[in-house]
Amino acid sequence: MSALTIGQKIREIRLLKKMTLKQIAEKTALSIPFLSQLERDKCSATMGSLRNIADVLGVHPSAFFDYNELTEPAVVNQNDFDYRDLSNHVNSIFKPIKITIQPNSQISKHISHKGTEFVYCLEGTLTLVVGDENYNLTPHQSYMYHATEPHYWYNHTQEIVTFLVVNEA
């Protein structure tokens, strides 16, 4: 049996929660046509949009990603980033994620959600924007912030950026 796509997982969770596309649209400010196309794999979503949908559905965004084997992290490859859930199926109050951003790319625009986030740069120079502040993190530098503050991540360089994010599940 093949793994479900992100859109199929969103639809599956939405139906399990007995929610309509209209309810999701109203709570995320995403359009019904966009959500419908996303569920049918006719378009892709930013990490910000996925986070907003996950918050409305009451799940962590990693719930949208399938695992192939117990030890293999859930992986999502979008055009500009690679997202790996490192939790190994362990339910916990926090979720470790490894993210790689391609050169001259950003993940989402301003996003905010409940909880706190810890970011640790592994490779490259990550530009982290939290509220009105910019932070350039280089390997072995970290920053922790309240995720309710609008935030997003940039790679303004010509090199790949890899970092860890630990946030509340």
Side-chain angles (χ1 to χ4, degrees):
M1 182 175 185
S2 63
L4 295 177
T5 65
I6 292 172
Q8 291 168 331
K9 286 297 283 185
I10 290 171
R11 178 176 166 76
E12 178 181 83
I13 294 167
R14 178 178 63 78
L15 293 175
L16 282 172
K17 302 276 185 169
K18 298 182 179 24
M19 295 185 77
T20 65
L21 286 175
K22 183 178 180 188
Q23 290 171 311
I24 303 296
E26 288 171 351
K27 294 179 180 181
T28 61
L30 299 170
S31 72
I32 293 172
F34 169 78
L35 292 168
S36 176
Q37 288 181 353
L38 181 62
E39 286 188 356
R40 291 180 290 120
D41 300 311
K42 301 291 183 194
C43 67
S44 60
T46 65
M47 280 304 299
S49 295
L50 291 177
R51 182 66 200 217
N52 287 337
I53 294 166
D55 286 348
V56 170
L57 292 173
V59 298
H60 192 273
S62 64
F64 303 146
F65 313 129
D66 273 325
Y67 297 83
N68 294 326
E69 298 174 14
L70 180 62
T71 58
E72 183 178 325
V75 178
V76 173
N77 293 309
Q78 296 285 357
N79 293 335
D80 297 329
F81 69 90
D82 179 74
Y83 174 102
R84 294 178 182 266
D85 178 349
L86 304 177
S87 67
N88 198 31
H89 301 289
V90 174
N91 286 330
S92 177
I93 59 170
F94 64 90
K95 182 75 71 171
I97 303 159
K98 181 180 176 187
I99 300 174
T100 301
I101 307 177
Q102 296 302 311
N104 296 308
S105 299
Q106 74 181 54
I107 295 181
S108 185
K109 294 190 174 155
H110 285 100
I111 181 172
S112 58
H113 51 87
K114 65 182 179 179
T116 55
E117 284 188 339
F118 172 78
V119 176
Y120 182 85
C121 186
L122 297 169
E123 172 185 16
T125 301
L126 173 67
T127 300
L128 168 65
V129 179
V130 180
D132 295 328
E133 299 294 322
N134 289 358
Y135 304 94
N136 288 315
L137 303 179
T138 57
H140 312 292
Q141 290 185 319
S142 63
Y143 192 77
M144 189 166 183
Y145 52 92
H146 294 285
T148 53
E149 287 269 351
H151 60 278
Y152 52 102
W153 307 305
Y154 278 115
N155 177 359
H156 289 299
T157 72
Q158 297 298 316
E159 305 295 324
I160 289 176
V161 170
T162 304
F163 59 104
L164 297 176
V165 174
V166 179
N167 59 30
E168 294 180 54

